[in-house]
Amino acid sequence: MKTKYIKIILLISLVFLVVLLLVRKIPNTIEIVMVTKGYNFVQVERDETFEISFFISTKNSNFSNQNNIKSIAITDEINYLKFKLEDIILSEEKVYLKNKWYYNVLFSLKPLIEVTNNFTLEMIDAYLEIAFKNDSYAKLSIGSFSYYLFQENSQNLSITKLKGLVNTFNNNKRLVGVLIGIKNNTNKQIKITNIYPLDLNIKVAYKDIIKCNDFIQGETIKEILGYDYNLFEIEENVKLNLCVDDEIRIFIPLKYIKDIVINKMGFLIEYELDKETFYYCLDDFLFFESNDYLVNLKWLKFYTYEDS
């Protein structure tokens, strides 16, 4: 009789253990791949969102479930910019990296910031910080991050043409120059004194700016300028003095402060009219799309995360 009771107790214990294992979610180690590049966001309308994507080794995880995420921010050692997560898009297409298949996850984010004036925030070494409702968190290196908020825009000029020149450098596509058409909407002369790329990694080569009506995509910057051009040779203290009476088209060569992938960017044009300084903000524009950087491991950061 005693043996029978022992068997019943053991059976109940075994059933309880099985149920416990089925109910309890066992942590699952997933792999995350982040592309480090020059991320930038120009916000001229409050409802605009910033998109950032990365890759995960499984479709179902905390990263792909909006209900499991408590907060998101982009940070560095000093700055902290919090975002509202508007949406998560999980792509069905997979990429093959380091002998493993990954799914692409895209976050659509809106900055949570209350300012009344124009605002700039630049981070050289930035991280995407994700806090989950289970009290775990992930901190992923993204490269650099540049954020520009402009509350108003001058209407004295307008943009009539925008076209990026993309060349191949070190087996990767690079935005090396931009063709911009600028129209003067006044009956007075406008003098452009600065053109600022809205990404902390890029400068404009003022002395190499030329008038250019158009170019054929596939031409090299050397063919357009007529001489060899160094993407990384920065020249300081060069001033811009470009007069616009009606409309002009100019080709603006770009300089890179460091070797980094940038495919989207805006510009801020500073100009003078009647001895008064004005600004025109050109919203960020996607100049090219490419997955070429995925074959270059130096742009990729690999992480593991215990998804529970």
Side-chain angles (χ1 to χ4, degrees):
M1 193 71 177
K2 185 176 181 181
T3 304
K4 183 179 178 180
Y5 285 133
I6 293 174
K7 287 181 179 181
I8 292 173
I9 293 172
L10 289 174
L11 182 60
I12 293 173
S13 300
L14 181 60
V15 171
F16 178 77
L17 181 60
V18 170
V19 170
L20 183 65
L21 290 174
L22 289 174
V23 172
R24 184 184 176 187
K25 186 178 179 181
I26 300 174
N28 178 35
T29 301
I30 66 172
E31 296 181 29
I32 308 152
V33 183
M34 176 61 73
V35 178
T36 59
K37 64 177 186 176
Y39 292 91
N40 54 70
F41 179 37
V42 180
Q43 191 176 27
V44 294
E45 299 289 342
R46 282 290 188 171
D47 59 350
E48 287 184 275
T49 58
F50 169 66
E51 294 182 346
I52 188 167
S53 64
F54 51 93
F55 302 92
I56 57 176
S57 57
T58 181
K59 291 178 66 175
N60 300 314
S61 73
N62 284 332
F63 291 91
S64 56
N65 190 335
Q66 191 167 347
N67 294 326
N68 292 346
I69 295 176
K70 181 166 60 177
S71 66
I72 293 181
I74 293 180
T75 70
D76 63 6
E77 292 182 354
I78 301 173
N79 304 290
Y80 184 92
L81 181 60
K82 195 171 182 179
F83 290 85
K84 178 185 177 184
L85 179 59
E86 294 287 320
D87 195 14
I88 296 177
I89 300 174
L90 179 65
S91 174
E92 293 296 328
E93 296 183 10
K94 295 185 290 185
V95 297
Y96 196 65
L97 302 170
K98 288 183 69 174
N99 302 317
K100 196 177 188 69
W101 288 103
Y102 291 87
Y103 296 90
N104 181 252
V105 178
L106 184 142
F107 282 180
S108 179
L109 307 171
K110 186 178 290 186
L112 294 174
I113 184 170
E114 295 296 331
V115 292
T116 56
N117 299 316
N118 295 338
F119 179 78
T120 297
L121 180 62
E122 297 176 332
M123 306 181 197
I124 296 176
D125 297 308
Y127 292 84
L128 179 67
E129 199 169 274
I130 308 167
F132 299 99
K133 291 181 180 178
N134 64 1
D135 293 331
S136 65
Y137 82 101
K139 190 174 182 180
L140 312 173
S141 175
I142 66 173
S144 67
F145 178 70
S146 308
Y147 171 57
Y148 309 93
L149 172 65
F150 291 95
Q151 307 278 34
E152 58 184 35
N153 228 352
S154 167
Q155 302 301 315
N156 296 319
L157 59 81
S158 55
I159 302 300
T160 60
K161 180 79 173 179
L162 183 64
K163 183 178 180 179
L165 178 67
V166 180
N167 286 175
T168 299
F169 178 81
N170 285 348
N171 298 318
N172 288 118
K173 289 182 178 180
R174 287 289 187 282
L175 180 66
V176 297
V178 176
L179 176 70
I180 299 182
I182 303 173
K183 180 175 175 55
N184 183 346
N185 296 326
T186 75
N187 56 7
K188 298 180 181 181
Q189 187 181 77
I190 284 177
K191 183 170 70 174
I192 297 175
T193 53
N194 276 301
I195 301 175
Y196 300 104
L198 296 180
D199 187 287
L200 64 87
N201 303 287
I202 301 290
K203 289 184 177 295
V204 168
Y206 286 159
K207 77 177 186 64
D208 297 301
I209 292 177
I210 60 171
K211 290 185 178 181
C212 177
N213 189 56
D214 203 358
F215 60 79
I216 300 173
Q217 197 63 261
E219 287 186 274
T220 66
I221 192 169
K222 178 180 180 180
E223 291 171 331
I224 292 175
L225 296 178
Y227 50 83
D228 289 331
Y229 183 77
N230 189 323
L231 277 178
F232 301 98
E233 191 176 87
I234 307 292
E235 293 194 11
E236 304 291 347
N237 303 320
V238 179
K239 294 183 178 181
L240 182 63
N241 188 3
L242 185 65
C243 295
V244 184
D245 295 307
D246 182 20
E247 182 177 353
I248 60 170
R249 287 188 179 184
I250 54 174
F251 177 73
I252 303 174
L254 302 177
K255 295 284 189 179
Y256 284 70
I257 295 175
K258 66 177 181 179
D259 187 15
I260 193 168
V261 175
I262 298 170
N263 61 341
K264 179 180 73 72
M265 186 170 57
F267 290 88
L268 183 66
I269 300 174
E270 178 186 275
Y271 64 93
E272 292 179 0
L273 176 63
D274 285 339
K275 296 183 180 180
E276 188 176 352
T277 300
F278 296 89
Y279 296 91
Y280 181 87
C281 177
L282 179 58
D283 205 353
D284 47 37
F285 182 80
L286 182 64
F287 289 99
F288 70 93
E289 289 188 281
S290 174
N291 285 330
D292 290 354
Y293 48 77
L294 294 179
V295 302
N296 193 335
L297 293 181
K298 80 174 185 176
W299 307 122
L300 306 180
K301 295 285 187 181
F302 291 81
Y303 298 89
T304 57
Y305 171 79
E306 296 298 324
D307 194 42
S308 59

